[in-house]
Amino acid sequence: MGRYTVTRSVVEDGGLPVYTAVDPTQRAAARAVLARLPEVMDWAEYNFGRYPFSSTGAIVDRPQDAGYALETQSRPVFPGAPDTLLLVHEIAHQWFGNSVTPKTWRDMWLNEGFATYAEWLWTEDEGGPTAEETFRTLYDHGETTYPDLWAFPPANPTSAARVSDSPVYQRGAMVVHKIRRMVGDDAFYALVQGWTAARRHGNANTADFTTYVEQQAPDKDFSAVWEDWLYGEGKPRRP
């Protein structure tokens, strides 16, 4: 529905089809970021494992037609031209949310936390603040940007109305980073890629994920991560 400029191409490695549909009023603004889509796809596959769908792309509509971006399967929808981080976030959702799908809305942190952490990783790889620096800044000053940051734990939203609030996104990403800290980079990326492969095109809840993490790193004790960061009330003690 609507009037779009449709472009068809392929990601250079593997020939994955790319389809973009852009409202004519957004063509100029969206051109540069959509040109990075193949690069973002290569980066995401390198970090998260084999892409779970048969094509990729994006839909860019007029800003007034939607108030938020949506991780529509294989073709995220954007309200106006996105910046690169928003593109990275919605592409990451193809793995976390669209392929590995939460069993209940209470498990939303499993996709929003990982998609937010994808932004941290991209920023780190692009020469910006490291994920560790982003984590510490959020811990020290996050209340300024996200007043509700410590309102509830990411795995236990207080109501259906809160499943898209910042604790699900930002504290969810902090949980992911705590796991990375505990196991180290090599084991972390192996764990993430194993998770997306094991649960490919299926559903998972928080208990499924925590059990998987513990099985992949049996020599580590994650109890404090789960108790303080995933399920704990209020701001956890200083890391």
Side-chain angles (χ1 to χ4, degrees):
M1 300 190 306
R3 185 176 299 164
Y4 298 94
T5 300
V6 177
T7 302
R8 297 173 174 84
S9 59
V10 296
V11 176
E12 289 184 10
D13 294 336
L16 182 74
V18 180
Y19 300 92
T20 61
V22 183
D23 185 278
T25 64
Q26 303 301 307
R27 285 179 62 189
R31 184 176 295 113
V33 68
L34 292 183
R36 300 196 74 179
L37 182 57
E39 177 189 357
V40 171
M41 287 295 303
D42 285 344
W43 175 88
E45 279 203 294
Y46 179 81
N47 285 284
F48 308 139
R50 184 165 62 93
Y51 180 61
F53 301 110
S54 59
S55 66
T56 188
I59 299 169
V60 181
D61 213 333
R62 294 170 293 181
Q64 65 267 30
D65 287 351
Y68 53 87
L70 190 65
E71 59 267 27
T72 315
Q73 185 171 296
S74 78
R75 273 184 265 312
V77 179
F78 299 97
D83 60 23
T84 305
L85 280 182
L86 183 56
L87 179 64
V88 167
H89 183 104
E90 303 304 337
I91 290 297
H93 270 313
Q94 306 309 310
W95 284 261
F96 308 104
N98 288 350
S99 177
V100 184
T101 304
K103 284 183 178 177
T104 75
W105 292 111
R106 193 176 294 278
D107 303 306
M108 276 270 286
W109 82 274
L110 282 171
N111 46 308
E112 296 300 350
F114 268 104
T116 301
Y117 197 65
E119 297 181 47
W120 298 12
L121 293 176
W122 175 271
T123 300
E124 180 177 287
D125 288 348
E126 287 282 285
T130 65
E132 175 68 17
E133 291 169 335
T134 300
F135 176 96
R136 290 186 175 275
T137 298
L138 191 59
Y139 183 86
D140 291 337
H141 310 292
E143 301 92 334
T144 303
T145 306
Y146 308 102
D148 65 339
L149 181 61
W150 311 111
F152 59 86
N156 192 25
T158 54
S159 72
R162 308 299 297 276
V163 298
S164 292
D165 287 4
S166 57
V168 174
Y169 288 67
Q170 304 301 326
R171 285 191 65 176
M174 295 176 92
V175 171
V176 176
H177 187 68
K178 291 289 287 186
I179 296 169
R180 180 184 176 190
R181 270 183 175 178
M182 292 219 26
V183 302
D185 277 8
D186 290 346
F188 172 74
Y189 286 106
L191 184 153
V192 169
Q193 293 178 23
W195 172 250
T196 61
R199 294 286 175 167
R200 183 182 175 91
H201 300 323
N203 300 88
N205 61 22
T206 299
D208 294 327
F209 178 71
T210 56
T211 298
Y212 175 83
V213 171
E214 291 169 352
Q215 290 173 342
Q216 297 305 305
D219 59 326
K220 305 293 183 181
D221 181 4
F222 293 93
S223 57
V225 177
W226 309 148
E227 292 168 8
D228 296 343
W229 292 88
L230 188 56
Y231 288 106
E233 298 289 342
K235 187 174 183 176
R237 59 185 173 83
R238 176 169 289 279

